[in-house]
Amino acid sequence: MEGWLHDVGGRAVVLSRAMTIRILLSLSLLALLAPGCGGASVDRESTFTGLRAAMTRELPPGDADTLEQHNQLVENARDGNVFDGLRRSEVQETLGRGQECGQRELCTRNGFRPDDWVYEIGQREGVPWGPTLIVGFDRQGIVDNVYTLTRR
């Protein structure tokens, strides 16, 4: 039998080339389809819950710990791809409607459209203060870009 020799648990096993190729293709497909592979997964629901709470949280002067938690929260949302595949209406349902980018320099400099949404995470004395999260949508209304500006 012509094939490849594999060491399986200290025993030599000969698999045909066709069987070896099938196994490798199956494993490759599994790796592509497996959720959460390629890094730490971020829980979408808890991230949105944290963002909603943080948007209205008052940041007392000198509270570096809470500010850092807010910075980490927006970075986790961006890096964890929690907005991937969401429509504008779904973002509004889960996070609320953001402020439109309009002509903000931060939006235009980073390639966002005037109708994309900006979220300020945290406030001080009722004024937005903390990291900024910008969510951009394509022409079909699906999230296609997320940008964060942290305050460190």
Side-chain angles (χ1 to χ4, degrees):
M1 171 184 205
E2 186 176 322
W4 291 336
L5 183 64
H6 298 276
D7 179 18
V8 179
R11 295 180 16 183
V13 176
V14 177
L15 295 176
S16 70
R17 287 189 178 125
M19 180 58 79
T20 302
I21 290 171
R22 277 190 222 137
I23 291 170
L24 290 174
L25 287 174
S26 296
L27 291 173
S28 298
L29 182 60
L30 182 62
L32 288 173
L33 298 177
C37 290
S41 65
V42 175
D43 178 28
R44 182 179 269 183
E45 185 57 37
S46 67
T47 300
F48 283 133
T49 299
L51 285 169
R52 279 192 307 270
M55 284 190 289
T56 57
R57 185 173 298 140
E58 186 70 25
L59 292 169
D63 187 355
D65 291 337
T66 302
L67 178 59
E68 183 54 33
Q69 289 171 5
H70 290 181
N71 286 329
Q72 193 64 51
L73 188 58
V74 297
E75 289 174 334
N76 288 346
R78 179 197 64 214
D79 298 341
N81 302 316
V82 298
F83 290 96
D84 280 5
L86 294 182
R87 296 190 167 280
R88 187 181 296 263
S89 60
E90 293 171 312
V91 174
Q92 185 169 350
E93 287 172 16
T94 56
L95 196 54
R97 189 179 197 293
Q99 296 177 347
E100 289 194 352
C101 272
Q103 297 303 315
R104 293 179 195 216
E105 182 200 352
L106 184 62
C107 291
T108 56
R109 182 173 18 130
N110 289 288
F112 288 90
R113 296 176 191 88
D115 62 339
D116 290 336
W117 291 348
V118 176
Y119 297 91
E120 300 293 344
I121 310 301
Q123 56 184 333
R124 184 170 285 161
E125 297 177 9
V127 176
W129 194 92
T132 301
L133 174 70
I134 304 174
V135 179
F137 303 91
D138 65 15
R139 294 184 189 266
Q140 288 77 38
I142 299 172
V143 174
D144 69 349
N145 194 9
V146 176
Y147 175 82
T148 59
L149 175 65
T150 57
R151 308 277 188 237
R152 289 192 166 101

